Amino acid sequence: GAGVSQSPSNKVTEKGKDVELRCDPISGHTALYWYRQSLGQGLEFLIYFQGNSAPDKSGLPSDRFSAERTGGSVSTLTIQRTQQEDSAVYLCASSLALGTGAYEQYFGPGTRLTVT
Amino acid sequence: GQQLNQSPQSMFIQEGEDVSMNCTSSSIFNTWLWYKQEPGEGPVLLIALYKAGELTSNGRLTAQFGITRKDSFLNISASIPSDVGIYFCAGVDNAGNMLTFGGGTRLMVKP
């Protein structure tokens, strides 16, 4: 497909379990972002990958959150020992690396995570 | 970090009315973007602005990059029910940092 894809679209997990969320960016986009959006709220930045550079992890809320990006494409966001406050929609976005398009982020549909 | 103040937080309007929402910052921004998010979807890019004073249209939507570089507005003319959603502004500051998002304007349109 042409857009950013995310899977799963919905995830229900029990408190204390680990979850993995996947993001496939737009082909050719070297920048990838993860955001969290709580119900009815704005976007909370989590982590940013740019090419082979070290990721910007400044937005990760705790050490239970981590993310990888393999081969400069697909990214996985992992939440360990999930807590109820982790319940939110997790959005992935990608953009070009250079030029004016570098700031134009294109979002996936999100993964709705519910921790029971 | 940078903060964008977006207003109003919500609007409930009649179909056919024009809508205006804005975003302000205490510091200079070099780029302004406007997104729309519908329920259950990710935000979709509507308009990107790169020059102070720039006025850009996309159908019934018009956005402007404020001349002071500290604000931007989005207008929607002749609103229709499918305009319902949350509209987010986003900007890039003078240091070229990543996008900062506003808190969103929730638009509701009454048929």
Side-chain angles (χ1 to χ4, degrees):
Chain A
V4 177
S5 60
Q6 292 186 244
S7 60
S9 55
N10 281 283
K11 177 71 176 179
V12 180
T13 190
E14 291 181 353
K15 178 182 173 181
K17 295 285 180 68
D18 297 352
V19 294
E20 284 190 351
L21 312 180
R22 177 187 167 103
C23 173
D24 281 273
I26 292 173
S27 178
H29 282 189
T30 58
L32 187 147
Y33 311 78
W34 283 98
Y35 295 87
R36 180 169 69 176
Q37 185 177 33
S38 298
L39 185 63
Q41 301 299 311
L43 301 171
E44 176 189 2
F45 166 74
L46 296 178
I47 188 168
Y48 160 58
F49 295 89
Q50 174 57 275
N52 294 321
S53 303
D56 177 351
K57 304 180 182 179
S58 60
L60 294 179
S62 78
D63 58 8
R64 295 187 296 105
F65 288 72
S66 63
E68 290 185 339
R69 189 177 185 192
T70 55
S73 182
V74 172
S75 177
T76 302
L77 177 69
T78 301
I79 309 173
Q80 296 178 309
R81 305 181 301 283
T82 52
Q83 304 294 312
Q84 288 186 330
E85 60 263 28
D86 299 335
S87 298
V89 174
Y90 289 82
L91 291 161
C92 174
S94 69
S95 70
L96 294 169
L98 300 173
T100 54
Y103 300 120
E104 296 177 13
Q105 295 182 23
Y106 293 86
F107 285 83
T111 293
R112 180 175 297 279
L113 175 66
T114 303
V115 182
T116 62
Chain B
Q2 298 293 343
Q3 285 193 339
L4 291 182
N5 298 310
Q6 190 169 347
S7 65
Q9 287 188 326
S10 63
M11 303 179 73
F12 188 49
I13 63 170
Q14 192 77 36
E15 181 178 1
E17 290 183 355
D18 296 343
V19 173
S20 184
M21 59 191 79
N22 69 80
C23 211
T24 60
S25 168
S26 58
S27 58
I28 289 174
F29 275 55
N30 287 334
T31 298
W32 288 96
L33 305 174
W34 285 92
Y35 287 84
K36 178 190 177 187
Q37 185 177 28
E38 297 185 11
E41 302 292 331
V44 173
L45 181 62
L46 299 173
I47 293 177
L49 303 160
Y50 294 99
K51 294 181 182 179
E54 180 180 357
L55 186 72
T56 297
S57 293
N58 179 2
R60 293 177 297 105
L61 277 60
T62 301
Q64 183 158 29
F65 190 143
I67 198 71
T68 65
R69 297 168 66 190
K70 294 184 178 181
D71 62 354
S72 176
F73 72 75
L74 175 70
N75 286 344
I76 305 173
S77 62
S79 59
I80 58 177
S82 63
D83 290 334
V84 165
I86 303 176
Y87 292 80
F88 290 102
C89 64
V92 180
D93 65 20
N94 218 20
N97 293 321
M98 289 183 294
L99 282 182
T100 298
F101 283 85
T105 294
R106 182 180 297 275
L107 178 65
M108 293 158 281
V109 179
K110 183 178 180 180

CSV table of all heavy atoms in Angstrom, one decimal, chain B residues 68-96:
chain,number,residue,atom,x,y,z
B,68,THR,N,3.8,37.4,11.6
B,68,THR,CA,4.8,37.5,12.7
B,68,THR,C,5.5,36.1,12.9
B,68,THR,O,6.4,36.0,13.7
B,68,THR,CB,4.0,37.8,14.0
B,68,THR,OG1,3.2,36.7,14.3
B,68,THR,CG2,3.3,39.1,13.9
B,69,ARG,N,5.1,35.1,12.2
B,69,ARG,CA,5.6,33.7,12.2
B,69,ARG,C,5.3,33.1,13.6
B,69,ARG,O,5.9,32.0,13.9
B,69,ARG,CB,7.1,33.7,11.9
B,69,ARG,CG,7.4,34.2,10.5
B,69,ARG,CD,8.9,34.5,10.3
B,69,ARG,NE,9.7,33.2,10.4
B,69,ARG,CZ,11.0,33.2,10.5
B,69,ARG,NH1,11.7,34.3,10.5
B,69,ARG,NH2,11.7,32.1,10.6
B,70,LYS,N,4.4,33.7,14.3
B,70,LYS,CA,4.0,33.1,15.6
B,70,LYS,C,2.6,32.6,15.6
B,70,LYS,O,2.1,32.2,16.7
B,70,LYS,CB,4.2,34.1,16.7
B,70,LYS,CG,5.7,34.5,17.0
B,70,LYS,CD,5.8,35.5,18.1
B,70,LYS,CE,7.2,35.8,18.4
B,70,LYS,NZ,7.4,36.8,19.5
B,71,ASP,N,1.9,32.6,14.5
B,71,ASP,CA,0.6,32.1,14.5
B,71,ASP,C,0.2,31.6,13.1
B,71,ASP,O,0.8,31.9,12.1
B,71,ASP,CB,-0.4,33.2,15.0
B,71,ASP,CG,-0.4,34.4,14.1
B,71,ASP,OD1,0.4,34.5,13.2
B,71,ASP,OD2,-1.3,35.3,14.4
B,72,SER,N,-0.9,30.9,13.1
B,72,SER,CA,-1.5,30.4,11.8
B,72,SER,C,-3.0,30.2,12.1
B,72,SER,O,-3.4,29.9,13.2
B,72,SER,CB,-0.8,29.0,11.4
B,72,SER,OG,-1.4,28.5,10.3
B,73,PHE,N,-3.7,30.3,11.0
B,73,PHE,CA,-5.2,30.0,11.1
B,73,PHE,C,-5.6,29.1,10.0
B,73,PHE,O,-5.0,29.1,9.0
B,73,PHE,CB,-6.0,31.3,11.2
B,73,PHE,CG,-6.1,32.1,9.9
B,73,PHE,CD1,-6.9,31.6,8.9
B,73,PHE,CD2,-5.4,33.3,9.7
B,73,PHE,CE1,-7.0,32.3,7.7
B,73,PHE,CE2,-5.5,34.0,8.5
B,73,PHE,CZ,-6.3,33.5,7.5
B,74,LEU,N,-6.7,28.4,10.3
B,74,LEU,CA,-7.4,27.6,9.3
B,74,LEU,C,-8.8,28.0,9.2
B,74,LEU,O,-9.5,28.1,10.3
B,74,LEU,CB,-7.2,26.1,9.7
B,74,LEU,CG,-8.0,25.1,8.8
B,74,LEU,CD1,-7.3,25.0,7.5
B,74,LEU,CD2,-8.0,23.7,9.5
B,75,ASN,N,-9.3,28.2,8.0
B,75,ASN,CA,-10.7,28.5,7.8
B,75,ASN,C,-11.3,27.4,7.0
B,75,ASN,O,-10.7,26.9,6.0
B,75,ASN,CB,-10.9,29.8,7.0
B,75,ASN,CG,-10.6,31.0,7.9
B,75,ASN,OD1,-10.6,30.9,9.1
B,75,ASN,ND2,-10.4,32.2,7.3
B,76,ILE,N,-12.5,27.1,7.3
B,76,ILE,CA,-13.3,26.1,6.5
B,76,ILE,C,-14.6,26.8,6.1
B,76,ILE,O,-15.3,27.4,6.9
B,76,ILE,CB,-13.7,24.9,7.3
B,76,ILE,CG1,-12.5,24.2,7.9
B,76,ILE,CG2,-14.5,23.9,6.4
B,76,ILE,CD1,-12.8,23.0,8.9
B,77,SER,N,-14.8,26.9,4.8
B,77,SER,CA,-16.0,27.6,4.3
B,77,SER,C,-17.1,26.6,4.1
B,77,SER,O,-16.9,25.5,3.7
B,77,SER,CB,-15.7,28.4,3.0
B,77,SER,OG,-15.3,27.5,2.0
B,78,ALA,N,-18.4,27.1,4.3
B,78,ALA,CA,-19.6,26.3,4.0
B,78,ALA,C,-19.4,24.9,4.5
B,78,ALA,O,-19.5,23.9,3.7
B,78,ALA,CB,-19.8,26.3,2.5
B,79,SER,N,-19.4,24.8,5.8
B,79,SER,CA,-19.1,23.5,6.4
B,79,SER,C,-20.2,22.4,6.1
B,79,SER,O,-21.3,22.8,5.9
B,79,SER,CB,-19.0,23.6,8.0
B,79,SER,OG,-20.2,24.2,8.4
B,80,ILE,N,-19.7,21.2,6.0
B,80,ILE,CA,-20.6,20.1,5.8
B,80,ILE,C,-20.4,19.0,6.8
B,80,ILE,O,-19.4,19.1,7.6
B,80,ILE,CB,-20.4,19.5,4.4
B,80,ILE,CG1,-18.9,19.0,4.2
B,80,ILE,CG2,-20.7,20.5,3.3
B,80,ILE,CD1,-18.6,18.4,2.9
B,81,PRO,N,-21.3,18.1,7.0
B,81,PRO,CA,-21.2,17.1,8.1
B,81,PRO,C,-19.9,16.3,8.1
B,81,PRO,O,-19.4,16.0,9.2
B,81,PRO,CB,-22.4,16.2,7.9
B,81,PRO,CG,-23.5,17.1,7.3
B,81,PRO,CD,-22.7,18.0,6.4
B,82,SER,N,-19.3,16.1,6.9
B,82,SER,CA,-18.1,15.3,6.9
B,82,SER,C,-16.9,16.1,7.3
B,82,SER,O,-15.8,15.5,7.4
B,82,SER,CB,-17.9,14.7,5.5
B,82,SER,OG,-17.7,15.8,4.6
B,83,ASP,N,-17.1,17.4,7.7
B,83,ASP,CA,-16.0,18.1,8.2
B,83,ASP,C,-15.7,17.8,9.7
B,83,ASP,O,-14.7,18.2,10.3
B,83,ASP,CB,-16.2,19.6,8.1
B,83,ASP,CG,-16.2,20.1,6.7
B,83,ASP,OD1,-15.5,19.5,5.8
B,83,ASP,OD2,-16.9,21.1,6.4
B,84,VAL,N,-16.6,17.1,10.3
B,84,VAL,CA,-16.5,16.7,11.7
B,84,VAL,C,-15.2,16.0,11.9
B,84,VAL,O,-14.7,15.1,11.2
B,84,VAL,CB,-17.7,15.8,12.1
B,84,VAL,CG1,-17.4,15.1,13.4
B,84,VAL,CG2,-19.0,16.6,12.2
B,85,GLY,N,-14.5,16.4,13.0
B,85,GLY,CA,-13.3,15.7,13.4
B,85,GLY,C,-12.5,16.6,14.3
B,85,GLY,O,-13.0,17.7,14.8
B,86,ILE,N,-11.3,16.2,14.6
B,86,ILE,CA,-10.4,17.1,15.4
B,86,ILE,C,-9.3,17.6,14.5
B,86,ILE,O,-8.6,16.9,13.7
B,86,ILE,CB,-9.7,16.3,16.5
B,86,ILE,CG1,-10.8,15.6,17.4
B,86,ILE,CG2,-8.8,17.2,17.3
B,86,ILE,CD1,-10.2,14.8,18.5
B,87,TYR,N,-9.1,18.9,14.5
B,87,TYR,CA,-8.1,19.6,13.7
B,87,TYR,C,-6.9,20.0,14.5
B,87,TYR,O,-7.1,20.6,15.6
B,87,TYR,CB,-8.7,20.8,13.0
B,87,TYR,CG,-9.8,20.5,12.0
B,87,TYR,CD1,-11.1,20.1,12.4
B,87,TYR,CD2,-9.5,20.5,10.6
B,87,TYR,CE1,-12.0,19.8,11.4
B,87,TYR,CE2,-10.4,20.1,9.7
B,87,TYR,CZ,-11.7,19.8,10.1
B,87,TYR,OH,-12.6,19.4,9.1
B,88,PHE,N,-5.8,19.6,14.1
B,88,PHE,CA,-4.5,19.8,14.8
B,88,PHE,C,-3.7,20.8,14.0
B,88,PHE,O,-3.5,20.6,12.8
B,88,PHE,CB,-3.7,18.6,15.1
B,88,PHE,CG,-4.4,17.6,16.1
B,88,PHE,CD1,-5.1,16.5,15.7
B,88,PHE,CD2,-4.2,17.9,17.5
B,88,PHE,CE1,-5.6,15.6,16.6
B,88,PHE,CE2,-4.8,17.0,18.4
B,88,PHE,CZ,-5.5,15.9,18.0
B,89,CYS,N,-3.1,21.8,14.7
B,89,CYS,CA,-2.0,22.5,14.0
B,89,CYS,C,-0.7,21.9,14.5
B,89,CYS,O,-0.7,21.2,15.6
B,89,CYS,CB,-2.1,24.0,14.4
B,89,CYS,SG,-1.8,24.3,16.2
B,90,ALA,N,0.3,22.1,13.7
B,90,ALA,CA,1.7,21.6,14.1
B,90,ALA,C,2.7,22.6,13.5
B,90,ALA,O,2.4,23.2,12.5
B,90,ALA,CB,1.9,20.2,13.6
B,91,GLY,N,3.8,22.7,14.2
B,91,GLY,CA,4.8,23.7,13.7
B,91,GLY,C,6.2,23.2,14.0
B,91,GLY,O,6.4,22.4,14.8
B,92,VAL,N,7.1,23.8,13.2
B,92,VAL,CA,8.5,23.6,13.4
B,92,VAL,C,9.2,24.9,13.8
B,92,VAL,O,9.0,25.9,13.1
B,92,VAL,CB,9.2,23.0,12.1
B,92,VAL,CG1,10.7,22.8,12.3
B,92,VAL,CG2,8.5,21.8,11.6
B,93,ASP,N,9.9,24.9,14.9
B,93,ASP,CA,10.5,26.2,15.4
B,93,ASP,C,11.7,26.6,14.6
B,93,ASP,O,12.2,25.9,13.7
B,93,ASP,CB,10.7,26.1,16.9
B,93,ASP,CG,11.8,25.1,17.3
B,93,ASP,OD1,12.6,24.7,16.4
B,93,ASP,OD2,11.8,24.6,18.4
B,94,ASN,N,12.3,27.7,15.0
B,94,ASN,CA,13.4,28.3,14.3
B,94,ASN,C,14.7,27.4,14.4
B,94,ASN,O,15.6,27.5,13.5
B,94,ASN,CB,13.7,29.6,15.0
B,94,ASN,CG,14.2,30.6,13.9
B,94,ASN,OD1,13.9,30.5,12.7
B,94,ASN,ND2,14.8,31.7,14.4
B,95,ALA,N,14.7,26.5,15.4
B,95,ALA,CA,15.9,25.6,15.5
B,95,ALA,C,15.7,24.4,14.7
B,95,ALA,O,16.6,23.6,14.7
B,95,ALA,CB,16.0,25.3,17.0
B,96,GLY,N,14.6,24.3,14.0
B,96,GLY,CA,14.4,23.1,13.1
B,96,GLY,C,14.1,21.8,13.8
B,96,GLY,O,14.4,20.7,13.3
